[in-house]
Amino acid sequence: MTWTAPAVDLTHEPLIGAERPMLEAWLDRHRATFLRKCAGLTGEQLAEATAPPSNLTLLGLIRHLADVERTWFRIRIAGQDVKARYVVQGSQDAAFENLDPLRAEAEYADLVAEMAEARAAGATRDLDHTFVHARWGEMSVRWVYIHMIEEYAQHNGHADLIRERIDGHTGE
């Protein structure tokens, strides 16, 4: 039997409330939206580049977002001693290269696990907690949440177009 990405329910963000629960809920909504763009697709479909010459694929985005979650929350915010999964020195596109559709299920699971790890890591620090980024200097946990919402919003747009090219599916 061929694996397909599972169905995902969208979460609903609060319309009023404290800042942190709102930021967390908006990020979770964007995370769920991305996973929903992948729902029902096989590893082969997730790895399909639908707009050559671009190498942008849903599987590449899965891998990229796993690294983004890990880097911002676990490495930078929580200070965990873990390495990025797909970063290769000298290649900005490593997450989009050498895709193996047979690894799609495991790489999807890795992203879901990184999302959970990111939630846990983010919860260890106050929004006003700061850390130093080697290139950009001091930044806050609040900035990371806002940046991650932006990151997912951008890639959800990419994912929407890729998905439409694969099977015509559009929407949330």
Side-chain angles (χ1 to χ4, degrees), residues 60-73:
L61 285 171
I62 287 169
R63 292 162 46 132
H64 168 71
L65 289 168
D67 266 348
V68 169
E69 293 274 7
R70 177 178 274 224
T71 300
W72 282 111
F73 285 98

Side-chain angles (χ1 to χ4, degrees), residues 7-123:
V8 174
D9 291 325
L10 278 183
T11 57
H12 295 283
E13 71 289 347
L15 301 177
I16 57 172
E19 180 183 22
R20 184 173 201 117
M22 290 187 85
L23 289 171
E24 289 171 345
W26 269 104
L27 180 51
D28 279 341
R29 181 172 177 85
H30 278 286
R31 287 169 171 151
T33 297
F34 176 76
L35 295 176
R36 213 170 142 118
K37 300 290 180 194
C38 300
L41 297 179
T42 65
E44 290 79 15
Q45 290 171 308
L46 291 170
E48 184 180 343
T50 61
S54 173
N55 65 350
L56 200 62
T57 64
L58 291 171
L59 185 55
L61 285 171
I62 287 169
R63 292 162 46 132
H64 168 71
L65 289 168
D67 266 348
V68 169
E69 293 274 7
R70 177 178 274 224
T71 300
W72 282 111
F73 285 98
R74 296 179 65 194
I75 297 171
R76 293 193 175 124
I77 290 176
Q80 294 178 10
D81 187 20
V82 293
K83 302 291 182 219
R85 294 173 178 271
Y86 304 104
V87 172
V88 174
Q89 187 75 352
S91 173
Q92 291 186 325
D93 283 346
F96 300 93
E97 297 169 348
N98 302 312
L99 301 178
D100 181 355
L102 296 175
R103 296 239 349 108
E105 181 177 10
E107 290 173 347
Y108 181 97
D110 288 344
L111 172 57
V112 172
E114 285 297 339
M115 289 173 176
E117 290 284 345
R119 284 184 199 95

